[in-house]
Amino acid sequence: DADVTQTPRNRITKTGKRIMLECSQTKGHDRMYWYRQDPGLGLRLIYYSFDVKDINKGEISDGYSVSRQAQAKFSLSLESAIPNQTALYFCATSDLTTRRIFGPGTRLTVL
Amino acid sequence: TQLLEQSPQFLSIQEGENLTVYCNSSSVFSSLQWYRQEPGEGPVLLVTVVTGGEVKKLKRLTFQFGDARKDSSLHITAAQPGDTGLYLCAKGGNDMRFGAGTRLTVKP
């Protein structure tokens, strides 16, 4: 089984809809992250969490929210999706080292 | 403005050729990582460099961290089609930042 799983893997939605992307990990890591990837811009950090009670904004948090339901689960929400949120979204985990272990990604299209 | 500038953005070469890709910044890093990402997958860590001037080898891949810890390079010897992918550098830290990547294609 994969260490980091993401659901759904692909999603097409319409402008204004609420969307939730889910991430689960079996590594037992405390730290979890959400990134988005756009062509030519690399990976940009949206939010990160160092434990269940800790939530931190990344460089592009506007328009997004997160919930850390448990050590193993970290979900990303788009309250009202807009077309420029069309991107690849990656969840990642890490222990106390800086190494990130990434999930397979979710391809989100907002029409 | 990218904190980390990677060059070239695209690189297409024939199998057996050597290549070098670069990661540069005006900031000093405590550490720097290189990842490789294949289509439809998340990035996978290749190496972490910490000390200025450090050189690490991973089979045909050689990673170097600049003396001033502001830049890094990745050299691939005798490239193979399996090396095809997006190579990303990232600065260490809680809010790890990534470069935009170099997309490498190795043709048989």
Side-chain angles (χ1 to χ4, degrees):
Chain A
D1 289 340
D3 294 326
V4 182
T5 57
Q6 293 183 234
T7 57
R9 292 295 313 277
N10 290 281
R11 182 72 184 268
I12 300 173
T13 190
K14 294 182 178 180
T15 297
K17 294 291 187 180
R18 183 179 188 275
I19 298 295
M20 179 180 286
L21 308 183
E22 300 194 28
C23 176
S24 295
Q25 54 112 346
T26 59
K27 296 293 292 181
H29 290 166
D30 286 325
R31 301 182 176 195
M32 298 188 74
Y33 310 82
W34 275 104
Y35 291 87
R36 68 175 277 176
Q37 186 174 36
D38 299 273
L41 294 178
L43 287 154
R44 292 182 292 167
L45 183 62
I46 306 172
Y47 272 96
Y48 61 103
S49 169
F50 285 173
D51 65 39
V52 175
K53 297 179 181 180
D54 178 72
I55 299 291
N56 304 282
K57 291 183 177 181
E59 55 183 307
I60 55 161
S61 59
D62 288 350
Y64 302 95
S65 62
V66 291
S67 175
R68 185 80 184 268
Q69 302 95 322
Q71 185 202 41
K73 296 184 182 296
F74 193 35
S75 60
L76 175 72
S77 293
L78 289 67
E79 295 301 325
S80 180
I82 56 177
N84 75 3
Q85 290 177 314
T86 293
L88 267 172
Y89 289 85
F90 288 97
C91 175
T93 74
S94 72
D95 54 17
L96 293 179
T97 70
T98 57
R99 174 192 178 190
R100 302 288 190 265
I101 297 175
F102 286 86
T106 294
R107 183 174 295 279
L108 177 66
T109 302
V110 183
L111 301 176
Chain B
T1 301
Q2 288 282 346
L3 179 65
L4 293 167
E5 298 287 341
Q6 290 193 245
S7 61
Q9 186 176 359
F10 298 96
L11 184 59
S12 181
I13 61 171
Q14 292 296 132
E15 182 175 3
E17 293 183 3
N18 301 331
L19 67 111
T20 302
V21 299
Y22 301 91
C23 176
N24 295 292
S25 175
S26 58
S27 303
V28 175
F29 303 138
S30 57
S31 66
L32 188 138
Q33 299 183 335
W34 284 93
Y35 289 78
R36 184 171 77 197
Q37 183 180 14
E38 299 186 17
E41 300 180 9
V44 175
L45 180 67
L46 295 174
V47 77
T48 300
V49 287
V50 177
T51 306
E54 182 176 4
V55 176
K56 283 191 174 180
K57 292 191 175 184
L58 185 65
K59 297 183 180 179
R60 294 176 293 99
L61 279 59
T62 301
F63 304 85
Q64 184 160 7
F65 201 14
D67 291 341
R69 291 187 289 125
K70 292 183 177 181
D71 57 87
S72 182
S73 63
L74 160 58
H75 181 80
I76 301 179
T77 303
Q80 299 177 359
D83 296 325
T84 292
L86 179 68
Y87 288 82
L88 297 158
C89 65
K91 79 168 193 70
N94 294 335
D95 62 339
M96 178 176 284
R97 302 292 181 96
F98 286 78
T102 291
R103 189 165 297 281
L104 172 66
T105 302
V106 182
K107 300 176 183 177

